[in-house]
Amino acid sequence: MQFRNRIDAGNQLAKKLSAYKNKKDVLILGIPRGGVEVAFAVAKSLHAELSVVVIKKIGHPFNPELAIGAVSPDNYILDEDYKDREGYAKKAIKELNAEIKKRYKKYTQGKLPQLKNKIVIVVDDGLATGYTMLAAIKYVKSKSPKKVIVTIPVAARDSYEKVKAIADEVVCLHVPIFFSAVGSFYKEFKQLEDKEVKQYVKNHPL
């Protein structure tokens, strides 16, 4: 299975979420950057409010591209195998918390969306290690929502199972037998800029 682009993926996901269309207590949260483009399409189809949940992955000390955890606005998760590297983790978390605050200033003028008693649909463009989404779920659940629904076009099997274990509902279009990278399941998978994320959130028509 391959999606044309993130908007196509979002439109396909929205069809699976039709039960939440036109409901005032539904809030769509996109994970920047790519997840916001998917979330925009979902929110547009459902006529729902759109915002962001900024999560930053904690990179491996010798391979920054490999995630060993992730940081949310007020919490974090870390792979058990790296708990003994407390000094490295603390430094990384402090730096990432500062980056998260900067991103919220760029995207929402520093405002964090109110999640209490909301049906929160968390959207990303795919799950690889799953740490980003797991941190997002942990953060959203700490804000007393009515329900947490994870929505992704494609996911690695292990990550899908981890997310399914803690989310109230998971909507995923494709869990392949062989998973390489999220981008390999899209014909077009360009990197989004911060200004594009801001425009999606700002210009979203309810």
Side-chain angles (χ1 to χ4, degrees), residues 106-173:
K106 285 180 183 178
Y107 303 149
T108 64
Q109 289 81 50
K111 295 175 184 174
L112 273 68
Q114 295 300 308
L115 309 181
K116 189 174 181 179
N117 294 326
K118 295 273 191 179
I119 296 171
V120 182
I121 301 177
V122 188
V123 184
D124 207 351
D125 53 15
L127 295 185
T129 63
Y131 284 118
T132 299
M133 185 59 78
L134 290 168
I137 298 167
K138 184 177 180 180
Y139 169 71
V140 172
K141 280 198 164 188
S142 74
K143 305 302 175 188
S144 305
K146 194 180 290 182
K147 190 175 186 181
V148 182
I149 303 164
V150 169
T151 304
I152 58 272
V154 62
R157 171 63 63 183
D158 286 355
S159 301
Y160 173 77
E161 295 298 341
K162 286 175 187 174
V163 164
K164 196 176 175 185
I166 62 170
D168 297 313
E169 185 180 337
V170 179
V171 176
C172 182
L173 300 173

Side-chain angles (χ1 to χ4, degrees), residues 31-201:
I31 298 178
R33 296 184 181 103
V36 175
E37 192 167 38
V38 183
F40 175 81
V42 172
K44 190 175 178 182
S45 293
L46 299 185
H47 302 156
E49 187 182 350
L50 173 68
S51 191
V52 298
V53 55
V54 182
I55 308 292
K56 300 294 292 179
K57 70 180 181 183
I58 302 171
H60 187 282
F62 305 117
N63 181 6
E65 290 304 308
L66 177 65
I68 60 169
V71 181
S72 73
D74 61 11
N75 218 313
Y76 70 92
I77 59 169
L78 186 66
D79 189 302
E80 288 292 330
D81 291 342
Y82 296 91
K83 295 285 187 185
D84 60 339
R85 300 188 70 95
E86 194 177 349
Y88 169 79
K90 278 186 177 178
K91 184 173 182 289
I93 289 161
K94 187 177 179 181
E95 290 171 356
L96 292 171
N97 272 323
E99 179 61 27
I100 285 169
K101 285 177 183 174
K102 284 181 190 175
R103 291 287 178 95
Y104 272 108
K105 281 181 182 175
K106 285 180 183 178
Y107 303 149
T108 64
Q109 289 81 50
K111 295 175 184 174
L112 273 68
Q114 295 300 308
L115 309 181
K116 189 174 181 179
N117 294 326
K118 295 273 191 179
I119 296 171
V120 182
I121 301 177
V122 188
V123 184
D124 207 351
D125 53 15
L127 295 185
T129 63
Y131 284 118
T132 299
M133 185 59 78
L134 290 168
I137 298 167
K138 184 177 180 180
Y139 169 71
V140 172
K141 280 198 164 188
S142 74
K143 305 302 175 188
S144 305
K146 194 180 290 182
K147 190 175 186 181
V148 182
I149 303 164
V150 169
T151 304
I152 58 272
V154 62
R157 171 63 63 183
D158 286 355
S159 301
Y160 173 77
E161 295 298 341
K162 286 175 187 174
V163 164
K164 196 176 175 185
I166 62 170
D168 297 313
E169 185 180 337
V170 179
V171 176
C172 182
L173 300 173
H174 188 39
V175 184
I177 296 170
F178 301 107
F179 185 95
S180 51
V182 171
S184 66
F185 296 94
Y186 290 82
K187 288 179 182 175
E188 180 192 315
F189 195 71
K190 69 181 182 71
Q191 292 295 315
L192 261 66
E193 300 295 331
D194 282 336
K195 63 181 180 180
E196 293 174 279
V197 172
K198 188 177 178 179
Q199 286 302 312
Y200 277 128
V201 176

